[in-house]
Structure formats: C-alpha cells, structure tokens
Amino acid sequence: MLGNPYDRDCPTRQLLDRIGDQWTVLIVGALRAGPLRFTQVGKRVEGISQKVLTQTLRSLVRDGILVRTAYPVIPPRVEYELTPLGRDLAEPLDMLDRWARHHMDQVTAARAAFDAEHTPASA
Amino acid sequence: MLGNPYDRDCPTRQLLDRIGDQWTVLIVGALRAGPLRFTQVGKRVEGISQKVLTQTLRSLVRDGILVRTAYPVIPPRVEYELTPLGRDLAEPLDMLDRWARHHMDQVTAARAAFDAEHTPASA
DNA sequence: CAGTATCCCCGATGATACTG
DNA sequence: CAGTATCATCGGGGATACTG
C-alpha cells in the first residue's frame, strides 16, 4: 500500500494532480518569458475559458508557482508571474516540451501504423 | 522556442493530451524497471480501474510508447514493455518525478500559507 | 489471466450574464 | 479589465458482470 512510489499519497501523484491538466503546463510555459496580464495569458493559451483560466491561475498562486500582483488603477491591471519555485518547475516542463517537439512525429507515425494494422481496409 | 507554441496544434499540446492524465505517467514510470504483466501494472498503479488500465495501455501501445507481447499459453500471459521511444519519454517524466520529490513540500507549505491567509478565522 | 461489455454518476468544463 | 455567479452538459472513470 503506502511506501510504493505509485500509491495515492506520493509526491509524484500530487504533482500530477496539479500539472495533470494541460492548462497548468501551458500557463507556466506562457509565463516563462515574463509576467503577463490576465487577458494576455488567456490569449497565449488558446481555447481556455475565462472560468478555467481564473481557476487555474488561482490554484497556481495558491501552490506558490505564481505570484499575482494587482495594481490599484482603473481599469484594473493584474499581472501574473512565475515565482522562483515556478521557474524551477518550468525546467522539467520544458524538457517535456522539447521531447514533444522532437518525438511527436514518431508518435504520429506509430499511431498511423497501429490504426492501419487494426483497420482491415481490405475487408 | 518557436513562435506561438501554445496554439491547439502544437506538439506540446498533443503530448499533453496523451500524458495529461496521470495514469500514463504512472504506467510509464512503473515500466521503467522492466516489462510487467497486465495485472502487475495494475498493482503498481494503485487505484486505477481495470477498464482505464486497459484503455491507457492500449493507447500507449498505439502511440509507440509500449509494446504488448501476448504469449499463447493458458492462462494467458501478456507483457507490456517500454519501446525505445517510451524509454526516451521516461526521462523527462523522471525529471518531473524528481522535481516532485524535491519541491512538493514547498508547494504544500505555500498552499497552507495561502489557505491561512484566505481563512478569516483569526483576527 | 487478461481482457470486453454495460450501466451510471459526478464533477470538470463551457456558455452566459453580471460587477467592482 | 479582471474577475464572480449560475446553470446545463458531457463524458471520463468506477463498479460490476461476463468471456476466451
């Protein structure tokens, strides 16, 4: 049960629960280049809804990955930025990114081959 | 990094769609040590249901991350093993694992601090 | 043993509307 | 601009039962 690196309470599982959703990874990636305002993040991460953006941003702040800075001006200006911890996390995430760029074509090829194999075209 | 790596068609997004669910990461991790039988994988990855295990295994085979070997014996014996591509993927995944082990306590602390801050209990 | 087939539920996500 | 609030949906995933 416990003690096994794959059981429910291990750090890896917990991290996975956090970064498991692609939004987190994408947001952290988007912020690597520097702070961004709420709307800017939303634009970089295409397809994310406002609600989910808000939720994800908030939980990343909660986890110490991002800092939120609200400037008391009108209209409101809020910026999100990676913390040192966040920048730290960005590194392994970047490795994944590199892997994707280097190997996704292999995955695509494997997928096509598998589908061909399992799709009796000449039925 | 290239132009805008965050749009829907970029390799990163595609990879995330695959490894986004924690099961994939856990299964690949479990197989790093060597081939495992269906049931063995299920035991290593606690909490996964048989259905999801089957589904995840199948899609990993489809993507060329794993190979499935069925021995024609009774009772059936099926083994799953990382392909070279899979072993390749295991590396960046391992980085994430290391990060988790080294930093999850910081995340936990940040989380507690945030919650305390946002819990108007004491005043 | 290693799956496949079903039913079912819940919670994450999207769409929409409103506000400081 | 940067959120919050509410509702409806959709399907991933669990539990269970059956099979080669």
Side-chain angles (χ1 to χ4, degrees), chain A residues 37-39 50 54 58 68 76 78 80:
Chain A
R37 301 178 59 169
F38 182 84
T39 305
Q50 191 178 41
T54 298
R58 179 184 290 272
R68 187 191 114 113
V78 177
Y80 291 89

Side-chain angles (χ1 to χ4, degrees), chain A residues 12-25 55-56 58-63 65 89, chain B residues 99 104 107 111:
Chain A
T12 306
R13 284 285 266 253
Q14 290 181 43
L15 172 67
L16 257 18
D17 284 341
R18 162 99 352 280
I19 70 159
D21 69 302
Q22 68 264 71
W23 301 127
T24 291
V25 179
Q55 288 173 348
T56 309
R58 179 184 290 272
S59 79
L60 284 171
V61 169
R62 181 168 105 103
D63 288 355
I65 306 296
L89 175 59
Chain B
W99 190 94
M104 275 311 287
V107 171
R111 210 173 278 185

Side-chain angles (χ1 to χ4, degrees), chain A residues 13-94:
Chain A
R13 284 285 266 253
Q14 290 181 43
L15 172 67
L16 257 18
D17 284 341
R18 162 99 352 280
I19 70 159
D21 69 302
Q22 68 264 71
W23 301 127
T24 291
V25 179
L26 262 8
I27 290 173
V28 170
L31 289 169
R32 287 201 79 186
L36 287 177
R37 301 178 59 169
F38 182 84
T39 305
Q40 300 305 320
V41 179
K43 281 180 183 163
R44 294 274 293 186
V45 184
E46 285 200 17
I48 193 170
S49 71
Q50 191 178 41
K51 187 176 74 174
V52 174
L53 178 58
T54 298
Q55 288 173 348
T56 309
L57 247 16
R58 179 184 290 272
S59 79
L60 284 171
V61 169
R62 181 168 105 103
D63 288 355
I65 306 296
L66 304 182
V67 261
R68 187 191 114 113
T69 309
Y71 299 91
V73 298
I74 292 180
R77 179 187 184 83
V78 177
E79 286 190 346
Y80 291 89
E81 185 176 11
L82 289 177
T83 60
L85 183 62
R87 268 191 290 284
D88 234 46
L89 175 59
E91 285 189 44
L93 255 29
D94 193 46

